[in-house]
Amino acid sequence: MPDVRIETATCVLRSPRSDDADGLVSIANDAAVARYVSPRFPYPYTRENAVEWLASLPSRPRTVSVVIELEGALCGVVTLELLAEERAGVAELHCWLSSRVWGRGIAADASRALTEYGFSHFDLRRVQAHVIAPNVNAMRVLEKAGFRREAVLAQSLVARDGSVHDDVLYFRLKPQAD
Ligand SMILES: CC(C)(COP(=O)(O)OP(=O)(O)OC[C@H]1O[C@@H](n2cnc3c(N)ncnc32)[C@H](O)[C@@H]1OP(=O)(O)O)[C@@H](O)C(=O)NCCC(=O)NCCS
């Protein structure tokens, strides 16, 4: 994946570097961050988890992950997973942010910017995001990033604490050229 650097109104998105491990641990090892993300996201989040994730990126060419920087400090990650085969042309968006900077519109800016980067750099028709029903802040992020609510998949997700919730699907289509 080529190096990415995108400046938005509130933050900078850039390709991860091997020296990002400590920065990742300092923001990801937080129960508030882990609460509504997939249980595949490790919690507690250790330095080994960060090193392993950073080392895995070169072998995952269909994963476009960038770190979010605020005034030079790492404060989150936003990812596009490019799907394949019968889902070719579709990508899934994921975003998480340090709880120290929630409520400043950063996730919405980062999500919008990476989605638009995806439309302009890959052969994508559609970007989608799955949100566990209690995560209303993530739904607001997606609405502010130009996504629309499309479907509710009843009782489709199990949260980290074992509770079962609806999966709310959001999508954004590539704008048609005139
Ligand atoms: C969900 C998440 C990405 C939102 O990031 P963010 O940068 O705080 O998002 P925004 O600043 O755009 O806020 C989105 C909404 O959250 C609410 N919100 C966020 N922080 C808040 C705070 N400190 N106090 C009150 N409301 C808050 C607001 O309703 C806001 O909408 P508004 O701008 O219309 O008022 C962030 O909370 C996060 O990383 N959570 C953990 C990981 C996660 O759940 N990721 C999403 C998986 S799908």
Side-chain angles (χ1 to χ4, degrees):
M1 202 56 65
D3 258 12
V4 178
R5 185 179 170 88
I6 306 169
E7 300 200 6
T8 80
T10 59
C11 60
V12 171
L13 310 183
R14 65 156 173 84
S15 298
R17 300 188 301 246
S18 55
D19 64 358
D20 284 328
D22 290 332
L24 284 167
V25 177
S26 74
I27 59 174
N29 190 31
D30 177 347
V33 170
R35 184 174 181 198
Y36 290 136
V37 294
S38 163
R40 282 176 281 128
F41 185 93
Y43 181 76
Y45 191 99
T46 64
R47 193 165 196 287
E48 288 67 39
N49 294 134
V51 169
E52 193 180 315
W53 180 72
L54 290 165
S56 75
L57 294 176
S59 60
R60 294 163 61 199
R62 305 194 67 79
T63 300
V64 184
S65 268
V66 291
V67 299
I68 306 171
E69 266 188 1
L70 195 61
E71 290 154 11
L74 201 159
C75 72
V77 173
V78 59
T79 296
L80 270 182
E81 296 276 357
L82 310 180
L83 306 185
E85 316 225 309
E86 73 275 22
R87 299 260 190 241
V90 179
E92 294 205 339
L93 180 80
H94 311 270
C95 182
W96 62 268
L97 207 66
S98 162
S99 56
R100 295 192 278 270
V101 297
W102 287 1
R104 293 162 60 174
I106 295 166
D109 262 4
S111 297
R112 176 185 287 280
L114 191 65
T115 298
E116 291 172 359
Y117 176 88
F119 284 138
S120 60
H121 288 74
F122 304 100
D123 191 14
L124 288 178
R125 302 181 304 279
R126 167 184 167 107
V127 176
Q128 63 189 27
H130 294 268
V131 182
I132 196 163
N135 197 355
V136 291
N137 290 358
M139 295 181 199
R140 272 299 293 149
V141 166
L142 291 164
E143 285 159 8
K144 291 193 289 180
F147 285 68
R148 287 192 287 146
R149 177 187 284 235
E150 183 171 49
V152 177
L153 314 182
Q155 299 187 26
S156 177
L157 285 175
V158 182
R160 191 176 294 272
D161 66 2
S163 55
V164 172
H165 297 277
D166 294 349
D167 173 0
V168 185
L169 182 61
Y170 279 79
F171 79 109
R172 190 172 152 180
L173 296 182
K174 182 175 182 170
Q176 297 296 313
D178 292 328

